[in-house]
Amino acid sequence: MNLATRLSGLISVLCLGLLASSLSALPDRSFIVSSEETKEIRNFVRLLEEAHYNREAVEPLSYPPVIRSFMEDWDAHHLFFLSSDAEQFVEQFGEGLYWNVKTLGDIKAAFQIYQLYEDRAEERAQWIFQRLEGDFDLESHDEYVVDRRELDWPATPAAADVIWEKRLRFELIQELLNDQELADAKEKVRKRYERMLKNLADIETHEIAEVFLTEIAQLFDPHSTYFSSETYEDFEIQMRLQLVGIGALLGLEDDECVIREIIAGGPADLDNRLQPNDRIVAVSQSSAEHGEAVELIGMKLRKIVDLIRGEKGTDVYLTIQ
């Protein structure tokens, strides 16, 4: 892929000022699979039962634990759900899970669980934003367990508030130890949870389905997984090597696409204009006079890669800060 870049100064500054206010609430969404995807889910379970080497070890009674595992995929440190949520979901979906997935291709359980997680995360983020406006006692002796994966979810909302009060103080102290002033530390923590909401708003139906069906695949062995059509397309591209990138390792920082590393011998390296820590703020597949660039601020990294990646020998135009 040839590399053409248009250099600009602080082109993204005006966009950044509007970002925080747009994160106050998650969008109302519904997660629905198509009839073709429903058929694919049924075929997926049938294939596991007929062709997997470990098929005899999995039976209908093996399915209920998928509920809790799926909850932990989103809330690994047991911070957002309550213990009663896990009990309710296992009772509601556990017994009929095998029948619904295998016979009907029905994974509404996954969407309902994820939707509650999203609701809990938004409620907690709003609680955090309000709490950050208040005062904190940062000199008392207390403990916060950073890795809560072995602990249960809190039993009540009040118990969850206690955990989050400790977590917020822990996060603020971490920032203060990095030579931040308290006001700056609060702002950095606020931005962290604004980004969390932004990431949740970007979650799509196929991603939820992929996580849920991978949990079912891993009933058979820990290395089996389910690819959504989008993930499978990426996998095929990597195997065929028919599409290439600019030869740079990309990452996200404060909702902006940042070049982490230039790959030796790639288009960016040969072009010799891009540098680590440059920010890509827009992408176009045609020159400025023939096409409008797509702004990348706030976009998921996977979508950014899709915009930049193309067939070998084609051009991509990057707006660089």
Side-chain angles (χ1 to χ4, degrees):
M1 179 181 289
N2 299 323
L3 178 66
T5 56
R6 293 186 291 114
L7 300 180
S8 64
L10 300 178
I11 192 169
S12 61
V13 170
L14 294 178
C15 301
L16 292 176
L18 301 175
L19 184 60
S21 61
S22 67
L23 293 171
S24 59
L26 290 167
D28 291 330
R29 296 177 292 166
S30 58
F31 302 104
I32 301 171
V33 296
S34 66
S35 57
E36 283 298 312
E37 290 168 326
T38 297
K39 181 179 179 181
E40 181 180 307
I41 291 168
R42 295 199 305 266
N43 288 336
F44 170 68
V45 176
R46 179 179 59 81
L47 183 64
L48 287 171
E49 292 185 333
E50 295 179 1
H52 198 284
Y53 78 91
N54 199 34
R55 57 190 178 275
E56 294 182 0
V58 179
E59 55 187 13
L61 291 178
S62 305
Y63 275 66
V66 165
I67 299 297
R68 187 179 179 96
S69 297
F70 179 71
M71 293 175 68
E72 290 175 337
D73 285 327
W74 302 103
D75 187 14
H77 290 278
H78 299 168
L79 289 166
F80 296 97
F81 288 121
L82 301 177
S83 57
S84 57
D85 296 330
E87 295 168 2
Q88 176 188 335
F89 284 136
V90 170
E91 181 179 353
Q92 181 177 355
F93 299 118
E95 186 175 344
L97 186 61
Y98 172 76
W99 172 264
N100 286 331
V101 177
K102 179 187 177 181
T103 308
L104 305 177
D106 180 356
I107 57 169
K108 292 188 182 73
F111 300 136
Q112 189 168 328
I113 292 168
Y114 174 78
Q115 190 63 67
L116 181 62
Y117 167 70
E118 200 173 75
D119 292 344
R120 289 267 199 269
E122 182 177 11
E123 290 168 4
R124 182 55 61 185
Q126 299 305 327
W127 181 91
I128 289 168
F129 299 151
Q130 184 175 358
R131 182 65 187 89
L132 286 172
E133 299 296 325
D135 297 324
F136 290 84
D137 179 6
L138 301 180
E139 297 188 8
S140 60
H141 294 279
D142 207 345
E143 292 183 354
Y144 174 68
V145 179
V146 179
D147 188 343
R148 289 182 42 83
R149 283 174 290 191
E150 299 301 320
L151 301 177
D152 198 2
W153 282 290
T156 64
D161 287 348
V162 171
I163 294 170
W164 275 97
E165 179 71 24
K166 292 183 178 182
R167 180 178 176 87
L168 271 186
R169 279 187 282 155
F170 171 76
E171 291 183 283
L172 289 172
I173 290 171
Q174 275 191 313
E175 299 303 331
L176 291 172
L177 291 174
N178 290 328
D179 296 325
Q180 297 272 354
E181 297 292 332
L182 181 57
D184 294 332
K186 286 185 175 183
E187 183 61 21
K188 195 160 186 179
V189 172
R190 169 183 285 275
K191 287 183 177 180
R192 183 175 302 149
Y193 290 100
E194 287 176 345
R195 285 195 299 272
M196 178 192 74
L197 291 182
K198 176 64 175 64
N199 291 337
L200 289 178
D202 285 337
I203 294 293
E204 299 176 14
T205 299
H206 71 86
E207 295 173 283
I208 301 171
E210 184 170 299
V211 173
F212 188 73
L213 294 172
T214 291
E215 285 293 346
I216 290 177
Q218 291 183 350
L219 292 174
F220 291 78
D221 86 282
H223 307 293
S224 292
T225 190
Y226 170 85
F227 279 179
S228 66
S229 58
E230 291 81 0
T231 302
Y232 181 64
E233 181 182 355
D234 283 347
F235 177 76
E236 279 202 311
I237 287 170
Q238 293 172 23
M239 292 296 100
R240 294 195 310 263
L241 299 178
Q242 289 183 348
L243 297 183
V244 297
I246 60 174
L249 181 63
L250 306 179
L252 289 178
E253 185 176 305
D254 294 332
D255 288 316
E256 294 183 296
C257 179
V258 179
I259 295 176
R260 301 293 191 198
E261 181 182 343
I262 302 296
I263 308 301
D269 182 41
L270 298 176
D271 181 85
N272 202 33
R273 282 183 286 176
L274 290 178
Q275 301 295 327
N277 298 319
D278 282 351
R279 294 170 185 260
I280 306 176
V281 297
V283 173
S284 175
Q285 296 299 329
S286 55
S287 60
E289 55 269 24
H290 294 103
E292 184 176 352
V294 177
E295 186 176 298
L296 304 185
I297 296 173
M299 188 177 291
K300 292 172 67 174
L301 186 59
R302 176 175 177 170
K303 291 184 177 179
I304 293 172
V305 171
D306 287 343
L307 287 172
I308 293 175
R309 187 172 55 191
E311 294 184 5
K312 184 177 181 180
T314 57
D315 295 331
V316 62
Y317 295 82
L318 309 177
T319 304
I320 303 299
Q321 177 181 319

